[in-house]
Each structure stands twice: as structure tokens, then as C-alpha cells.
Amino acid sequence: MADFMNTPLLRVVTCGSVDDGKSTLIGRLLVETDSVPLDEVERARTYRRAGSVIPVGEIDYSLLTDGLEAEREQGITIDVAYRHLLLPSGRRVVLADGPGHEQYTRNMAVAASDADVALLLIDATKGVRQQTMRHLTVCALMNVGTIIAVINKLDALNFDESIVDKITEQLNEATSRLGIQSTLVIPVSALLGDNVISKSKNANWYQGPTVLGALQEWLPSKSLDEAELRLPIQSILRQGDWRGYAGTLVSGKLSIGDEFMVSESGIMAKVSEIYISGVPATKAHAGAAIAIKPDREVDISRGDLLCGTTAPLQPADRFSADIVWIGEEPLAHGRSYLLISGPSSVNATVTSIRHRLDVNTGHEDAVRQLSLNEIGRVSIATEKPIPLDLYSEFKDSGGFLLIDRVTKQTVGAGMIHHVLRRSFNILAHKFEINKETRASLKAQNPKVLWLTGLPGSGKSTLANEVEQALFQLGVHTYLIDGDNIRTGLNKDLGFTAQDRAENVRRVGEVAKLMVDAGLVVIVSLVSPFRGDRDSVRELFEAEEFVEVFVDTPVEICAQRDPKGLYAKAKAGNLPNMTGIGQGYEPPLNPELRIDGTADLTQSTAAVIQKVLKLS
Amino acid sequence: MTQVRISTDQVLDALEAEAINILRETAGAFKNPVLMYSIGKDSSVLMELARKAFLPAPIPFTFLHIDTLHKFKAMTEFRDRKAAEIGFKLLVHTNPEGLNGAVTPWTHGAQEYTRVMKTVALRQALDAGGYDAAIGGARRDEERSRSKERVFSLREPGHRWEPRNQRPEMWRTRNTTLSDGQTMRVFPLSNWTEIDVWRYIKRENIEIVPLYYAAPRRSVIRDNQIIVLDDDRMPLQANEQAVERLVRFRSLGCYPLTAAIESTASNMDELVAEMELMRVSERAGRLIDGDREASMEAKKTEGYF
């Protein structure tokens, strides 16, 4: 029976830069454990890259560990390289190596996310540096089980014990501050091989294991078998009338007859059949890929999480989390992202950024955005409740990714720090009088007409005409104008991309309340960013949101310039002016496009016609 | 100090569980996934894993084979027999440009032949099927440039591999969302090594194409490598003479481009025993890779598998 308790696949992250001797250490581990083929080693002895000073015949370890042709040619680095070590004990090591440049915090976070062990290289001739602190901070954040501090280049310092003592003292101070539980210090010379594979004769004062020994002897501090049941469902298996639910048992164990709960719904059932990798079984251990059949018909979908019934995991919709920002565009609060964790996904908004962590000093700075490679603590609201654990307890169900909804790129990696609101608190109060009843009293279909376009495109003029026309038709309306809202509700906001996102979000929420009140709402707002507008669209039902693109060439807007904004921007006094300093992203598929240079009466009629048609 | 001993079975169990997790995620997250079936040992392992991942339900993937018309006869026979036996849906595609012997390694050279009959053919088949995910048997240990390959590897429109756009993989959470024209290649065997594949084949008693076992085969030596003459199409050079040699294959592909190794391993026990001692890399036997440094990477950027 499959048993993963002794960690047959050990996941290791290497931290350090090439200057610390990282290639040499990894290369030596690869070569001396026979984990690379002989022809590769032979090539590393004979082939030389331009500028190499390593004599032919010796192994150039960097040739075994270096990256892709594309990286060398384009001078870029792809986040993480994965290699395998075949240890003599039979254990397999998956070595994740992130390029060590200072700016690539994200690479290290990615490489460390799954790691049981971190090999942290410290150049003994340089001691504990800012880089070391950065690596330790990221390892602590990603909850790496054990840190093995590899004090390298001791051959250059006559294997002086006092230097290692001093570095150990500095390390201990840092690890206890960061709450790192398990640390091991190994003095090595990667160049000469001391304490990498075999014991050093030069550092005879050292009694501990070699790097290889430490990797072979590592055991997890707690057994995943003993932890709470977590079974995220990936696929539904169907064979005739038979229904099974397949997923990886990420923690806990499960036997036939055990009771479980579907976290999302609270529904309970018992296990009546278990398959491990397709083979019928009576019991499964943590780590196994299993399928189960419940003893009764229950509604389980892909993305649901099965947990135990004694201490079930309650779904929640408000979290605080640490985020490593991976996206090229900064994280702006108020934007909607797709949050995924294992097989489940939900729309989520970062409602506030609490602080940014300075990975070198540990300081927490107040900021309004997070940029690429930055780490911060944020609050997150999800569209519907989702069962997420604390990351410190469960990496799989406590870690998540944020996806940009337009580009589909992964832009953030998050670790749940605290659950702010479980869903049993938030059953929305259902009132007897609702949107439908209010709307029917007014005999109209509430909706929002969202007029977007450049400043001076004619939105306000058109909005005004449209409202008058609707009023004459007996429609209950309200007009929200961007400029007016900024004098009151949004007077705390400026014109940066982040503030614009928040401006649009608030106007969207206000419009939603008014639609709920049964009104036809006309919004006149530049709202330059597609993502922001799309987030607002999601607040509404399908027919309720009518995006109207007032399309006027920027030259004409600048000529009109009713508020003198283009003149100011030209003089350099308005750095964030849409169409000048900031881009405008036109709607790709608006419900209606109005030519802003056309006759106003005709344009108004077109809008009215659209509204009536949708009514 | 404790002595932690790990058995090969434990390693195989862990690799198996990881691969099944990846296959199930692919089945659950994509609308129209396809399994690229090359008939080789890695494909045979993939097929077994796909079977186990969904038992007792059937395998939810279509199998796609790119037939270059120069595969070993034994491979084609094996493919058709397996499809009938296991009952998976098999799709075979050949680039029409190469029909009737129009494109061969000896008329077009290995590189151009591979581009037309493999790379372009694969793109044609994937586009025609509208597949949003294609599962392959590639492993990270096969070649240095693969060490940076993702398990879920994003392809831009036109199947281009854009190194800058690869997504970080964390925990067991994978971003499987796609924007217009993007597709995903999925590699469940990423963390397997060649010896893992052989040990698993032995343990699970997986049937493989007989070409993997040593037998006397008519062959020539070309560029210091043994090329088995599977049929009479390959023109011999003046100095070449077809001789019977006791050989087998470590990996299978198009017969004119796949080198055999001398071996006496004629059954599974002998084969695995021989592989346990093998110290040179698998790709040392593939003619097409030697062209230039990082040539596999260049092919991948074009959409080669």
C-alpha cells in the first residue's frame, strides 16, 4: 500500500547566488550522486564557453546547471529550474533552483512554495548579508520546513571554526525573530567537496551530517496522516450509474466507513468505496491519489473540498493574506481577480493593502500598491464563500494564486494569514421588498447605462439629453456624473491608476444600490481601464449593464476641451490625464457605440432605443 | 542517527500519485484535452496512468498519434492492437504534404523532415481537433533545457512556446485558464527519470513494443550509430552494408533517425538490469538532437513536442 510518510520525494529549494558557489554545490551533488549521465559530465569537462577560466579536464559545474539558450541570448531568467537528485538511500530529491538575483524575490517564493527543505548558501568570506536575510524571510513566509544553512568557501578561510560560530550566532538571531523552527548549519567547501558528500577532514571540529547526509536523514516534523482530512475534488468519475469523486488526499487518512463533510454545503456522508491509483482499497494515507464513492447520493462538484466532520472547515469570504506580487502591472486594491486554490476558483477583490514587507529589514511600510517582486499583507473579499485554511497549517488549501481576468496570467501568490469572516456570519438578510417589487411599482426594468469615453468626448452632454428624454417617457432615473461624485463621496481619491480603479468601483457599487432601488441609472465616467469596467459589469445581471462607448477622436476632444483639461495637460500640469499621460482602453464589445462627433439628437435617440429594446 | 531508507516502490508510488493528480486536473479543468500518443515507453506509462486515474470509469482523453510514415512497422501494429484492446479513441494524423513518400529524411534532410512531418503535423492535428490541452510524456531528465519546463506549459497562438510567459507553479495549484488562441501542454511525467519509467513498466507489467528487447536486426552503421533497416526505403550509402546485429532501442521514433544500442537484454528482467547500469543519456541515441547546442529548445519554441 502506498505510504508517503518517509517523504520518498523530498522537495528542496536552493537559495543563494552563483557568487556564493551555488552552481558548484548543486553540480557536485548531481555528479557525485550519479544523477547526471556520463556524457553530460564529459561535456562539462571538455566544452568551454567563451571567457571560461576553468581548465579543460575539470568539471565546469555551471554547464550542468545553467539555463536555456533563450535566457542567455535575451538576458532573461525564467523563474525556476527543476533537477533531480538520486540519493543513495533511495530517496528522490526534486531540486528547485530559482535564479538568485536580488530583484527576483518572486522566483524564490515560487521555488520555495513546495519545499520541505531550503539549502541556504552563505559565502563564509562575506558572512550574513542582506541577501541572506531576504532568503530567510521568504523561506519563513513560504513556511519551508527546515533551513539548512550551507556555510561555503571555508577553504578560503582555513576552515576556521570561529567564523562559522559567528555566522551561526547571527543566523540564530534572525531565525528566532522570523519564527523558523528548524535550522541546521553545515560548514562546507563546495569547491573541494568538504562536507558535501563526504565528511571534511579539514573541518574536523564539525560533528554534524554532510549536506547529502542531511538530505537523506530529513523527516517531517509532523505526520500529514495525523492532520485533519483535506480532499479537494478534481474530477467526477462516471461509469453507468456509478459515481465516484477523485482527488489527492493532501492531508489526513481515510477508511471505508469514515464520515466526511462537503465543506461548501455542509452535507455529510460516509465513504463506501476507496480506490488508490485505480486499485480498490480499504484505507488511504495522506499523499495518495484516490477516488471515493459516498454511501448515499450527495451533490459534489469539481473544486469542492471534503473535510472531516468533527472539526469541519467552514467556508469564508473575507481573509487577510500575505501576497507575493508576480504581475508586471502592480496590484491595485479594488480590482477583481480570479482566485484559485487547488481545483477550486472564485472571483476575489483585494479590498485593502495593509502593508508592504521590506524583505531585507523586516520593516512593514504603508503603501497603496504592490509592484512586481514585492510582498505585502492584504485583505481579500471573495464573491462567494470558499473553504481556505491558514497557510501555516495547510500549504495546499491555505495557498492560492491570483489570476488577471483578461490576460489570464498569474499575477500573485497568496498565503492565508487569518480568516476574517466565516460564511455563517454573512447569510444576507432577505427582505420582503426587493428589486423586483420596487421595479414593478415603477413599471420599469432597472438598469445602468455606463457611458465611458475620453474627457471631452461628450459623455455628460449625452447623459443629460438621455435623462431628459427618459424622464419625459416617465422613467425613474438618476444621473451619476464623474466630476460631481469626486466633490463628495470620492473626494479622497486622485487620478493614479489605483485611485481610478477605486473611483470606478465605488460608482459601480452606488449604481448597484440604485438599480436595486428600481432606477434606471445613467453613469457618465471616463473609466479608462477595461478591467475596472469589467469588474463593475459583474455586479449586475446580464441585461442590467449597458456599456455605451462615446467614441470621439482625441484631437476633437482636445479642441472642445470644455474644462480646459487638455490645455493644462499640454502645459504639463496634469500628469495622469487620460488620453495624454494615461492610456484609454476602449471597450472591446460595448452594448452600444456612439460616434461622439455625430448629431446629438440622433445619438440620444439611439441610446433611448437601446434602453427600450432591453426593457 | 536514524537511517531513512526509501524503497524504489515508494518513489514510484509518489511519482504515480503526482502524475495521476496532474491527469485528473487536466481532465477536470480543460474542455477538450488530448493525449499525444507516441507508442513509446513513456506513452505506454502515460496510458497506464490515465487508465488508473479514472478507474473504474473509462479514460476521458482522445489519443492522438502523429504518423510520420517512417515509424517502425512494429510500432504501428502495437498502436492499433492496443487501441482495440483497451478501447481508447485513437486519432492518427499525417501531414498531407508528406503523403506518397513526398517528404522523407533522405530527400529533405532530418531537420526539414522532422519539421514537416512532426512539428507541422502536430500543429495541424491540434488545430483541427480544437484541443485546449495536449498531454505528453516528456520528462525533465531527457535534456538540459527541459529542466525549466513547466508541468502545465503554456503555448501562445500558433503553439509557440514563449519562455517569458511561463507560469509559476506553486503547491498543487495550477493556473489552467487560457486566453483566446492559447493552449496548454501538460507533462505528467516531468519528475520521472528514465529508470523510473523502466522500473514502473516492470512493476506494473506494462506491455511495450518488442523493439525495446534485443533481437538480431538488419542494420547499418551511419555517423557512428546503428540504424536498423525496418524496410527497404532507406537508400544505403556506398560504404554501408546491411548486417544483422543483436540490438535493441532505448527510445523509439522514426526508424531512419533512431539509433539502436547493442544489447543482449531480451526480456524485462534483463532490460531493467541493463538500464540500472546505464550511464549515458537517452538522447545520445537520437540523431536529430546533435545539430547544435540547445537544439531541442529551438524546436520546442516552434511547437515541436
Side-chain angles (χ1 to χ4, degrees), chain B residues 7 25 51 58-59 62 76 108 118 120 140 146 168 192 221 225 238 250 259 300:
Chain B
S7 68
E25 193 62 20
R51 208 177 60 82
I59 300 176
T62 298
T76 320
H108 288 67
K118 284 179 93 169
V120 175
R140 283 177 178 146
R146 286 232 164 106
W192 294 51
I221 306 281
Q225 290 179 312
R250 252 177 108 177
K300 189 163 74 174

Side-chain angles (χ1 to χ4, degrees), chain A residues 11 113-116 142-143 222 224 228 230-232 234 248-252 286-287 305 313 339-344 386-401 414-416, chain B residues 21 25 169-174:
Chain A
R11 297 182 195 266
S113 67
D114 240 356
D116 303 303
M142 302 314 292
N143 198 17
K222 62 174 184 184
L224 278 177
E228 284 287 324
R230 294 288 182 265
L231 176 59
Q234 297 181 284
T248 297
L249 194 52
V250 296
S251 79
L305 182 80
L313 177 61
L339 181 154
I340 57 172
S341 178
S344 57
I386 175 172
L388 291 177
D389 277 297
L390 300 186
Y391 184 75
S392 57
E393 289 173 21
F394 297 91
K395 279 191 194 179
D396 272 289
S397 47
F400 62 87
L401 299 177
M415 287 74 67
I416 298 293
Chain B
N21 175 277
E25 193 62 20
E169 299 192 324
M170 303 174 80
W171 313 294
R172 287 187 185 91
T173 293
R174 288 94 180 204

Side-chain angles (χ1 to χ4, degrees), chain A residues 2-4 6-9 11 34 37-40 43 47 63-64 66-72 74 76 78-84 86 88-92 94 99 109-110 113-114 142 216-219 234-235 237-239 242 246-248 250 275 277-278 287 289-291 302 326 338 340-343 391 395-396 399-401 403 406-410 413-415, chain B residues 1-8 10-18 20-29 51-58 139-141 143-150 154 156 161-180 182 190-193 195-196 199 279-284 292-295 297-298 300:
Chain A
D3 160 15
F4 305 98
N6 281 342
T7 321
L9 289 188
R11 297 182 195 266
D34 246 345
L38 283 184
D39 46 316
E40 286 269 319
R43 177 179 167 276
Y47 178 83
L63 287 172
L64 298 172
D66 68 355
L68 303 173
E69 191 176 40
E71 289 179 286
R72 290 199 293 275
Q74 303 177 33
I76 56 164
I78 295 165
D79 51 10
V80 186
Y82 297 90
R83 297 185 185 82
H84 305 108
L86 286 58
S89 67
R91 177 175 274 167
R92 185 68 47 88
V94 181
V110 171
S113 67
D114 240 356
M142 302 314 292
Q216 300 214 95
E217 289 147 24
W218 187 87
L219 283 174
Q234 297 181 284
S235 289
L237 310 182
R238 293 185 183 87
Q239 170 76 322
W242 190 91
T248 297
V250 296
Y275 296 81
S277 300
I290 68 169
R302 169 175 156 80
I326 290 169
L338 183 69
I340 57 172
S341 178
Y391 184 75
K395 279 191 194 179
D396 272 289
F400 62 87
L401 299 177
I403 317 288
V406 177
T407 66
K408 312 293 187 193
Q409 284 290 16
T410 303
M415 287 74 67
Chain B
M1 201 164 289
T2 49
Q3 279 287 320
V4 181
R5 299 295 308 174
I6 309 283
S7 68
T8 55
Q10 281 180 287
V11 173
L12 293 180
D13 286 341
L15 291 169
E16 178 188 64
E18 184 185 73
I20 288 177
N21 175 277
I22 294 160
L23 286 166
R24 287 169 170 175
E25 193 62 20
T26 308
R51 208 177 60 82
K52 286 185 163 202
F54 303 100
L55 272 177
R139 309 185 316 268
R140 283 177 178 146
D141 81 321
E143 214 263 342
R144 245 173 324 124
S145 80
R146 286 232 164 106
S147 70
K148 295 213 162 185
E149 182 60 287
R150 299 284 158 268
L154 187 68
E156 300 302 322
W161 180 70
E162 174 56 70
R164 284 168 194 269
N165 257 359
Q166 292 308 302
R167 294 169 174 174
E169 299 192 324
M170 303 174 80
W171 313 294
R172 287 187 185 91
T173 293
R174 288 94 180 204
N175 175 3
T176 50
T177 58
L178 300 171
S179 66
D180 278 354
Q182 289 181 333
S190 287
N191 285 329
W192 294 51
T193 62
I195 193 64
D196 296 325
R199 287 171 180 164
R279 301 287 302 279
V280 294
S281 64
E282 187 179 1
R283 291 207 164 250
R292 71 182 174 112
E293 170 88 342
S295 65
E297 186 192 334
K300 189 163 74 174

Side-chain angles (χ1 to χ4, degrees), chain A residues 222-290:
Chain A
K222 62 174 184 184
S223 155
L224 278 177
D225 259 20
E226 303 310 316
E228 284 287 324
L229 173 70
R230 294 288 182 265
L231 176 59
I233 298 303
Q234 297 181 284
S235 289
I236 316 295
L237 310 182
R238 293 185 183 87
Q239 170 76 322
D241 285 343
W242 190 91
R243 287 271 181 291
Y245 302 93
T248 297
L249 194 52
V250 296
S251 79
K253 51 185 186 294
L254 203 57
S255 301
I256 288 179
D258 284 357
E259 194 165 50
F260 66 85
M261 181 186 280
V262 184
S263 172
E264 280 80 356
S265 60
I267 291 169
M268 290 189 275
K270 282 182 181 164
V271 177
S272 72
E273 292 174 32
I274 297 179
Y275 296 81
I276 301 177
S277 300
V279 181
T282 54
K283 184 178 185 177
H285 292 283
I290 68 169

Side-chain angles (χ1 to χ4, degrees), chain A residues 247 298 358 591:
Chain A
V298 269
D358 184 325
E591 273 73 12

Side-chain angles (χ1 to χ4, degrees), chain A residues 107-325:
Chain A
N107 297 346
M108 231 214 93
V110 171
S113 67
D114 240 356
D116 303 303
V117 173
L119 286 179
L120 172 71
L121 266 103
I122 297 171
D123 181 340
T125 63
K126 294 183 180 144
V128 171
R129 285 178 294 160
Q130 210 168 57
Q131 172 192 278
T132 317
M133 295 311 298
R134 188 170 73 245
H135 292 156
L136 279 173
T137 306
V138 175
C139 285
L141 191 76
M142 302 314 292
N143 198 17
V144 177
T146 301
I147 311 278
I148 300 178
V150 180
I151 319 278
N152 192 22
K153 300 196 185 176
L154 281 170
D155 48 303
L157 298 164
N158 293 322
F159 295 88
D160 184 344
E161 185 178 7
S162 67
I163 288 169
V164 175
D165 286 345
K166 196 176 132 229
I167 292 174
T168 307
E169 203 173 302
Q170 291 172 327
L171 274 175
N172 286 344
E173 193 189 314
T175 53
S176 68
R177 180 169 58 78
L178 291 165
I180 294 169
Q181 305 284 336
S182 167
T183 316
L184 181 67
V185 176
I186 306 181
V188 312
S189 163
L191 190 67
L192 303 179
D194 290 68
N195 282 337
V196 177
I197 303 292
S198 46
K199 283 251 188 242
S200 168
K201 293 191 181 74
N202 296 310
N204 51 15
W205 41 266
Y206 173 73
Q207 303 301 322
T210 61
V211 174
L212 176 71
L215 295 180
Q216 300 214 95
E217 289 147 24
W218 187 87
L219 283 174
S221 59
K222 62 174 184 184
S223 155
L224 278 177
D225 259 20
E226 303 310 316
E228 284 287 324
L229 173 70
R230 294 288 182 265
L231 176 59
I233 298 303
Q234 297 181 284
S235 289
I236 316 295
L237 310 182
R238 293 185 183 87
Q239 170 76 322
D241 285 343
W242 190 91
R243 287 271 181 291
Y245 302 93
T248 297
L249 194 52
V250 296
S251 79
K253 51 185 186 294
L254 203 57
S255 301
I256 288 179
D258 284 357
E259 194 165 50
F260 66 85
M261 181 186 280
V262 184
S263 172
E264 280 80 356
S265 60
I267 291 169
M268 290 189 275
K270 282 182 181 164
V271 177
S272 72
E273 292 174 32
I274 297 179
Y275 296 81
I276 301 177
S277 300
V279 181
T282 54
K283 184 178 185 177
H285 292 283
I290 68 169
I292 61 150
K293 183 186 176 300
D295 65 341
R296 69 201 78 154
E297 236 175 71
V298 269
D299 189 9
I300 302 175
S301 318
R302 169 175 156 80
D304 282 350
L305 182 80
L306 308 191
C307 59
T309 52
T310 46
L313 177 61
Q314 294 281 352
D317 68 349
R318 295 286 187 277
F319 304 92
S320 84
D322 294 312
I323 295 252
V324 181
W325 199 247

